[in-house]
Amino acid sequence: MKKWAILLVVTMMATLVLSACSGGSSDTKNESQSGTADQEKVQLKFTVWGDVASAGPEVKLTEEFNKSHPNIEVKFEPVPGDGYGTKLTTSLAAGQAPDVFLIGEGDYYKYVDKGVVEPLDSYLEADKSFDTAMFQKDLLDMGHINGKTYYLPKDFNPLSLWYNKKLFDAAGMEYPNENWTWDDLNAAAKKLTLKDDKGKITQFGFNATKWEYPIFTYLWSNGTAISNEDGTKAEGFMNSDKTIAAMEKYVAMSKGADKVSPTPQDAETLGGDGSMFMTDKLAMMVTGRWVKYDLDRSKVDYGTSLIPKGADGERGGIIAAAGWAINANSKHKQEAYELVKWLSGKEAQVLRSEKGLVLPATVNELEEVKKTEVKDKPIIDMMAFAKKPVTMVSSNGSVFVEEFNKAMEKILLDQSSVKDALNEAAKTVDSKITK
């Protein structure tokens, strides 16, 4: 009995000691968990292209997000525009990409096709506090591929026709209007192209840029395109009789006997179309609303109009848009979703559109812009004519654009005729995408 008594006492003491130790450990653990909660917030990164030195809206949005989300700490890592796509692609392949990133309409389909973008549908369905009806429907639809939503809109910029009123007034000409065709534009551009005594052009009527987006609107207006509807074939489209005829007229604006446009090399030498426009050396250009901020700060008196129609009355528009996407390999997708909502929200839309560089992607905020920005009305109206570029309908879109641009280079450098260059480009595209 004595031995059993001793064993019982020892057992009880051991139990008490273990209990005490256990209790101490519990307290310590709770303290540790509390400390960890404070110290180990969910860390998120997000990126955009643009001026890395600029304290743009995203900097302020980051600060406000971190203040209002104590369990999440967001780090903003912008990338210069020229290197954005390369860096994002590389970091995605290496598994080191930010949790949230911006995708432009040109690269959107490609990233979704590679499976690196997280579908948002399950997050949106579970979140009753967030209603996507606040966005412009067309912009939201741009984020849909194969029935799924892959991004929430950041902002948008329809292309439109911008004209220099001073140059039109000096020539005694009426401003462009919604009834203009491309032939009307060309005729006006001839009158607005001026030369000095030595025959040197001192003022161009229009800028027939080599940038594919204005060219796409021109081709659509003329009833043609560089690909079939689903972006799976170039032969018979990029080199169709309609495309060749339209492109011959387009290129003639900068290289023909009745030259009314600078060549791309001329425009670059003269500081670009925006600079030429503001210094009264260019009367018309097709571009996005991002030029508005600089135009408003300059003394140039300008107006905007719908992009002209083709001979058959068809009009083509295109929207430069971007949206926030979640990295499919993010370790914190729910928190990343909260960030995407924040970056797409109403406050963010207002903040970004304050300087007039972009238009808000949300319905109510765009209505407010319409009330005050009279000059913007034709720009906004171009939304009704917007079509998706080939890069938004096919993962092969970049192949079409790359080969089309190569063809344009050969044409503009007098290395090939329009017909030969487009025939070669169409053949190359089809051979690449059918491998």
Side-chain angles (χ1 to χ4, degrees), residues 144-170:
H144 294 167
I145 291 182
N146 297 328
K148 293 185 178 179
T149 301
Y150 287 92
Y151 77 17
L152 292 183
K154 172 178 175 280
D155 50 39
F156 74 106
N157 251 315
L159 269 62
S160 63
L161 178 65
W162 299 68
Y163 58 90
N164 184 317
K165 288 184 176 180
K166 177 181 176 181
L167 303 189
F168 273 81
D169 292 342

Side-chain angles (χ1 to χ4, degrees), residues 352-409:
R352 290 193 196 94
S353 61
E354 280 180 345
K355 290 187 176 180
L357 296 175
V358 295
L359 290 167
T362 45
V363 176
N364 291 339
E365 284 63 39
L366 182 61
E367 288 302 316
E368 290 301 313
V369 172
K370 287 180 180 178
K371 293 177 184 176
T372 56
E373 299 285 352
V374 177
K375 287 182 179 178
D376 285 346
K377 186 178 183 304
I379 304 172
I380 298 169
D381 289 346
M382 280 304 303
M383 279 188 74
F385 306 98
K387 298 182 179 182
K388 288 186 177 182
V390 64
T391 47
M392 288 207 75
V393 298
S394 167
S395 59
N396 297 314
S398 59
V399 179
F400 285 83
V401 173
E402 180 181 353
E403 296 304 324
F404 180 74
N405 286 337
K406 285 181 182 177
M408 284 297 296
E409 288 285 348

Side-chain angles (χ1 to χ4, degrees), residues 96-393:
Q96 299 173 343
D99 302 273
V100 171
F101 49 85
L102 190 65
I103 313 181
E105 77 288 336
D107 295 322
Y108 177 53
Y109 203 111
K110 176 179 69 177
Y111 286 128
V112 171
D113 189 62
K114 292 181 181 300
V116 298
V117 182
E118 176 77 1
L120 300 178
D121 305 88
S122 62
Y123 302 90
L124 293 169
E125 288 169 7
D127 186 356
K128 304 304 179 187
S129 66
F130 190 75
D131 188 359
T132 57
M134 71 177 185
F135 294 111
Q136 306 288 328
K137 186 178 182 305
D138 289 343
L139 298 180
L140 193 63
D141 288 347
M142 287 175 71
H144 294 167
I145 291 182
N146 297 328
K148 293 185 178 179
T149 301
Y150 287 92
Y151 77 17
L152 292 183
K154 172 178 175 280
D155 50 39
F156 74 106
N157 251 315
L159 269 62
S160 63
L161 178 65
W162 299 68
Y163 58 90
N164 184 317
K165 288 184 176 180
K166 177 181 176 181
L167 303 189
F168 273 81
D169 292 342
M173 296 170 57
E174 293 185 1
Y175 301 142
N177 60 61
E178 63 183 21
N179 296 318
W180 265 32
T181 65
W182 277 98
D183 285 341
D184 292 325
L185 181 144
N186 205 348
K190 289 177 183 176
K191 295 178 182 176
L192 290 162
T193 299
L194 305 179
K195 298 179 181 178
D196 62 17
D197 295 341
K198 298 179 180 178
K200 180 182 178 182
I201 297 178
T202 57
Q203 174 184 306
F204 289 96
F206 179 64
N207 181 35
T209 173
K210 67 175 181 178
W211 180 29
E212 66 267 15
Y213 271 19
I215 296 176
F216 287 170
T217 69
Y218 170 79
L219 291 177
W220 290 331
S221 301
N222 284 282
T224 187
I226 67 169
S227 75
N228 61 342
E229 193 169 334
D230 57 1
T232 57
K233 189 173 179 58
E235 187 71 37
F237 297 90
M238 189 177 289
N239 61 342
S240 70
D241 290 344
K242 270 191 173 182
T243 303
I244 291 170
M247 288 309 301
E248 285 176 342
K249 290 180 69 174
Y250 185 84
V251 172
M253 285 195 273
S254 60
K255 295 184 67 67
D258 293 326
K259 178 174 178 171
V260 298
S261 164
T263 64
Q265 294 87 349
D266 291 337
E268 186 175 342
T269 301
L270 294 168
D273 55 4
S275 177
M276 293 174 65
F277 191 89
M278 288 185 284
T279 54
D280 299 330
K281 293 177 181 174
L282 178 65
M284 294 179 286
M285 58 183 175
V286 172
T287 190
R289 190 172 179 263
W290 46 80
V291 298
K292 176 179 170 61
Y293 182 65
D294 287 334
L295 298 188
D296 285 344
R297 290 197 305 170
S298 73
K299 295 181 179 179
V300 65
D301 187 11
Y302 69 91
T304 61
S305 183
L306 301 181
I307 293 175
K309 298 180 289 188
D312 295 332
E314 192 171 348
R315 197 191 310 276
I318 193 168
I319 294 177
W324 299 105
I326 296 176
N327 182 348
N329 290 319
S330 171
K331 295 179 180 177
H332 307 290
K333 294 176 185 175
Q334 184 60 47
E335 289 82 1
Y337 168 70
E338 294 299 322
L339 177 59
V340 165
K341 280 199 307 179
W342 182 269
L343 295 172
S344 302
K346 294 180 180 179
E347 292 76 11
Q349 301 287 343
V350 172
L351 188 62
R352 290 193 196 94
S353 61
E354 280 180 345
K355 290 187 176 180
L357 296 175
V358 295
L359 290 167
T362 45
V363 176
N364 291 339
E365 284 63 39
L366 182 61
E367 288 302 316
E368 290 301 313
V369 172
K370 287 180 180 178
K371 293 177 184 176
T372 56
E373 299 285 352
V374 177
K375 287 182 179 178
D376 285 346
K377 186 178 183 304
I379 304 172
I380 298 169
D381 289 346
M382 280 304 303
M383 279 188 74
F385 306 98
K387 298 182 179 182
K388 288 186 177 182
V390 64
T391 47
M392 288 207 75
V393 298

